[in-house]
Amino acid sequence: MTEPAIRSLLFVPGDSEKLIAKALASQADAVIVDLEDSVAPENKGRARDVTAEVLGGREPGGKPVFVRVNAFDTGMTCHDLAAVVGVSPWGVVLPKCESMAEIARLSHQLEALEAREGAETGATRIMTVATETAAATLRLGAAEADPTGRLWGMLWGGEDLSATLGAQTNRDDAGSYTFPYQFARSQCLFAANALGVVAVDSVYVDFRDPEGLAAETRQGLRDGFSAKAAIHPAQVEMINEVMTPTPEQLDWARQVTTLLQDRAVARIGSKMVDLAHKRIAERLLTRAAALGR
């Protein structure tokens, strides 16, 4: 089965039926129902119940839904998984992921629960939040192969990392990420590419700043991210627009693939293109086809 092209992933708290329903009805390509940071400790049990009830009642064939579980060091991961695997989430998001060993550990737990529920083994994908601790960020420089076959994507995040590092802020006066967070972002991008999985750009926390969101989404696309997380439905339309190949980009891609069918170098206007550009063009055309463009 062809994987859907996902440009936007909308976070929503797992303890609110109303907000989950709103997210599922939004223009987001995928939804991340959150059992972790957006749920107060006293509401964790309710969030599991609400998430299972709402996802269990959704129509088949809808948009992909991930569930972000609590990190392994909380002792709640197994409880979260046991509550939601039976309602067939498209994937699970593992926060504060420290290593490939944690991905393997999560995969083993998913395999057992899939067997319990009579689900296809390996049906539940994994996305990690890859840069929430200093150790995890550094380890991304030596990314190992995924032994589970479940890893779908890697999301980088700067907010928890700021807390880990004791930073006052992760952005400069102009609103751009400071160097430590640019480094973490780059580590995630390189690791995702090395592993052949989707690189997901972090949330833009000021949902009342569409210009800033658009600029940051364009920067992510420019650098190689193919999706971006959102924290508010108002951000989704902009992310989808920016992450969708333009007619001009597709015209360029078609020219490149046509010109380089049987040669390694060609000229388009005053610029030379080669096989590296052909790979970029092919990725653009594949993505456009997945989006029905």
Side-chain angles (χ1 to χ4, degrees):
M1 183 179 294
T2 303
E3 291 278 291
I6 294 178
R7 302 160 294 180
S8 55
L9 300 100
L10 177 60
F11 276 100
V12 60
D15 58 353
S16 171
E17 301 99 320
K18 180 179 178 181
L19 292 179
I20 297 173
K22 186 175 181 180
L24 292 173
S26 74
Q27 295 178 332
D29 291 334
V31 170
I32 303 174
V33 181
D34 188 24
L35 303 181
E36 195 213 11
D37 281 351
S38 65
V39 177
E42 63 271 19
N43 283 346
K44 296 293 187 181
R46 168 175 163 74
R48 294 184 193 110
D49 293 341
V50 168
T51 298
E53 181 179 352
V54 175
L55 297 191
R58 74 191 190 279
E59 292 293 325
K63 68 183 64 183
V65 178
F66 291 86
V67 175
R68 180 165 70 170
V69 297
N70 288 278
F72 279 123
D73 62 6
T74 66
M76 292 186 283
T77 315
C78 286
H79 299 290
D80 295 338
L81 294 172
V84 303
V85 169
V87 294
S88 303
W90 199 78
V92 167
V93 178
L94 180 64
K96 300 175 180 64
C97 182
E98 292 284 331
S99 65
M100 196 61 71
E102 288 198 351
I103 296 174
R105 178 181 174 185
L106 177 60
S107 180
H108 290 320
Q109 294 176 353
L110 287 170
E111 185 173 352
L113 290 166
E114 287 165 346
R116 184 192 74 177
E117 300 295 336
E120 178 186 354
T121 300
T124 315
R125 298 155 185 80
I126 294 173
M127 176 164 58
T128 63
V129 189
T131 63
E132 292 187 295
T133 70
T137 302
L138 290 173
R139 289 192 185 108
L140 289 175
E144 306 166 23
D146 168 30
T148 73
R150 291 182 187 265
L151 188 62
W152 174 86
M154 303 177 81
L155 164 69
W156 89 276
E159 305 311 312
D160 279 274
L161 185 58
S162 298
T164 298
L165 298 179
Q168 296 178 343
T169 178
N170 55 22
R171 294 180 184 265
D172 61 23
D173 292 340
S176 299
Y177 281 109
T178 58
F179 178 75
Y181 306 95
Q182 293 179 24
F183 172 78
R185 177 178 180 271
S186 298
Q187 287 280 84
C188 179
L189 179 61
F190 284 125
N193 188 272
L195 293 169
V197 301
V198 177
V200 183
D201 205 2
S202 186
V203 298
Y204 188 78
V205 296
D206 188 350
F207 63 86
R208 291 190 175 92
D209 179 16
E211 291 81 10
L213 171 66
E216 187 167 284
T217 306
R218 281 193 288 268
Q219 290 166 4
L221 179 65
R222 175 200 66 196
D223 292 343
F225 288 92
S226 59
K228 188 170 181 64
I231 58 168
H232 193 281
Q235 296 179 316
V236 169
E237 183 178 1
M238 178 65 73
I239 292 172
N240 285 348
E241 180 181 339
V242 173
M243 286 289 182
T244 301
T246 66
E248 293 76 17
Q249 289 172 328
L250 295 179
D251 285 345
W252 174 86
R254 294 185 185 103
Q255 287 185 64
V256 170
T257 54
T258 298
L259 288 170
L260 298 182
Q261 278 184 331
D262 53 6
R263 49 182 164 161
V265 180
R267 188 184 74 179
I268 297 179
S270 61
K271 295 183 178 181
M272 302 301 294
V273 293
D274 59 18
L275 295 180
H277 298 98
K278 184 181 180 183
R279 291 196 296 273
I280 295 171
E282 289 170 343
R283 289 179 67 171
L284 267 172
L285 294 173
T286 298
R287 184 166 179 77
L291 291 168
R293 303 283 169 166

